Amino acid sequence: MVKRTSFETADCPVARSVDEVGDWWSLLIVRDAFDGSRRFGEFQRSLGVAKNILSARLRALTDNGILEAVPAGAHHEYALTPKGEALFPVIVALRQWGEAFTFAPGEPHSELLDRRDGKPLRPLEIQAADGRPLTPAETEVHKLS
Amino acid sequence: MVKRTSFETADCPVARSVDEVGDWWSLLIVRDAFDGSRRFGEFQRSLGVAKNILSARLRALTDNGILEAVPAGAHHEYALTPKGEALFPVIVALRQWGEAFTFAPGEPHSELLDRRDGKPLRPLEIQAADGRPLTPAETEVHKLS
């Protein structure tokens, strides 16, 4: 990925997440892991990414505890750790935004469905501690002084 | 940013979002816009990013309808469009994951608070259409055949 400032020591959790997840390739690898990909070849076919790029991203995701390498016969597979599973809301948020803003009306796209009833998920809602829906303007970031 | 496959025509909304938002710099610019940054210099001070990189990202975000340039005296400022405001759950999801996994116990970080009561927001929850909480394993992606 393009070299950039490291946000490793930033006091903003958004920046730290950016720093740990790494880049968009890494996020799409995590997406594929949620979709059931486990083998190097599965990720490669899904992403159409060069092997060296994929290898580097898988290593970084493993080093950061987002994926873990699981022995599978002569090779190994990659599985999401609890830390990686916790990225689900990030993936769902990107998906729901993409569904709303990046497709033409009626243009088909993949869907994330509830296995039980086959229905699309409820749109993510930002809520206060007491459950009130909040708009961005109703929130504020308290920075460390 | 690093040149990579365009996901512009992908049938996955996650990939389309990745393609439109562009890169992590762009996402942090959007974060800063939510936090109140409007002027070029404000974004630059916050991100510590080179002017040419910031200019290119601001242009791309404006071209993609995520930011709009608003006249402000001799210059102009950048404001989130409704499409940009809709990225709030993405930012909140990254923030909450970062808070949970990228800080040492007790290590201070900035907080996103409800203006009304000063409390942190409720953690995002993935829910079925009927409101049931869903784990990743309880969902499945229906790909276009």
Side-chain angles (χ1 to χ4, degrees):
Chain A
M1 63 189 292
V2 64
K3 193 168 182 322
R4 53 139 169 73
T5 310
S6 170
F7 302 113
E8 202 179 329
T9 59
D11 66 12
C12 173
V14 180
R16 292 249 186 137
S17 297
V18 164
D19 199 67
E20 280 223 5
V21 180
D23 68 353
W24 289 123
W25 280 124
S26 305
L27 199 56
L28 292 175
I29 289 168
V30 169
R31 173 204 62 179
D32 285 347
F34 278 118
D35 295 355
S37 293
R38 293 178 62 87
R39 294 197 209 87
F40 188 95
E42 290 177 307
F43 291 109
Q44 202 196 6
R45 275 190 300 279
S46 169
L47 297 172
V49 57
K51 289 185 176 182
N52 62 320
I53 293 177
L54 180 56
S55 297
R57 297 303 181 282
L58 287 169
R59 193 178 315 115
L61 288 167
T62 305
D63 291 345
N64 285 330
I66 293 167
L67 293 177
E68 61 186 340
V70 180
H75 308 289
H76 61 268
E77 299 181 343
Y78 296 91
L80 289 163
T81 63
K83 181 178 177 178
E85 288 260 326
L87 281 167
F88 197 49
V90 174
I91 300 293
V92 171
L94 283 166
R95 162 174 287 277
Q96 292 183 340
W97 185 81
E99 290 174 344
F101 293 100
T102 68
F103 287 83
E107 184 182 8
H109 56 71
S110 70
E111 288 190 297
L112 182 63
L113 305 174
D114 176 0
R115 285 184 185 276
R116 187 189 295 187
D117 60 18
K119 292 180 182 169
L121 310 191
R122 176 176 291 192
L124 285 167
E125 184 175 75
I126 307 302
Q127 296 179 345
D130 61 12
R132 274 176 295 117
L134 291 176
T135 64
E138 294 173 313
T139 67
E140 65 183 338
V141 170
H142 180 247
K143 291 183 157 57
L144 299 176
S145 50
Chain B
M1 64 190 292
V2 63
K3 192 169 183 324
R4 53 137 170 74
T5 309
S6 170
F7 303 113
E8 201 180 329
T9 59
D11 65 13
C12 173
V14 180
R16 291 250 185 134
S17 296
V18 165
D19 200 67
E20 281 223 4
V21 179
D23 70 352
W24 289 122
W25 280 124
S26 306
L27 199 56
L28 293 174
I29 289 167
V30 169
R31 173 204 63 178
D32 286 347
F34 278 118
D35 295 355
S37 292
R38 292 178 62 86
R39 295 197 207 86
F40 188 95
E42 291 176 307
F43 291 110
Q44 204 197 3
R45 275 190 299 279
S46 168
L47 296 172
V49 57
K51 288 185 177 182
N52 62 319
I53 293 178
L54 180 56
S55 297
R57 297 303 182 282
L58 287 168
R59 193 178 315 114
L61 288 167
T62 305
D63 291 345
N64 285 332
I66 293 168
L67 293 177
E68 62 185 340
V70 180
H75 306 290
H76 62 268
E77 300 181 342
Y78 296 92
L80 289 163
T81 63
K83 181 178 177 178
E85 288 260 326
L87 281 167
F88 196 50
V90 175
I91 300 294
V92 172
L94 283 165
R95 162 175 285 277
Q96 292 183 340
W97 184 82
E99 290 173 346
F101 293 100
T102 68
F103 288 83
E107 185 182 7
H109 56 72
S110 70
E111 289 191 297
L112 182 63
L113 305 174
D114 176 0
R115 285 185 186 275
R116 187 188 294 189
D117 60 19
K119 292 181 182 168
L121 310 191
R122 175 175 292 191
L124 285 168
E125 183 175 75
I126 306 301
Q127 296 180 345
D130 62 12
R132 273 176 295 117
L134 291 177
T135 64
E138 294 173 313
T139 68
E140 65 184 337
V141 170
H142 180 247
K143 291 189 156 72
L144 300 176
S145 51

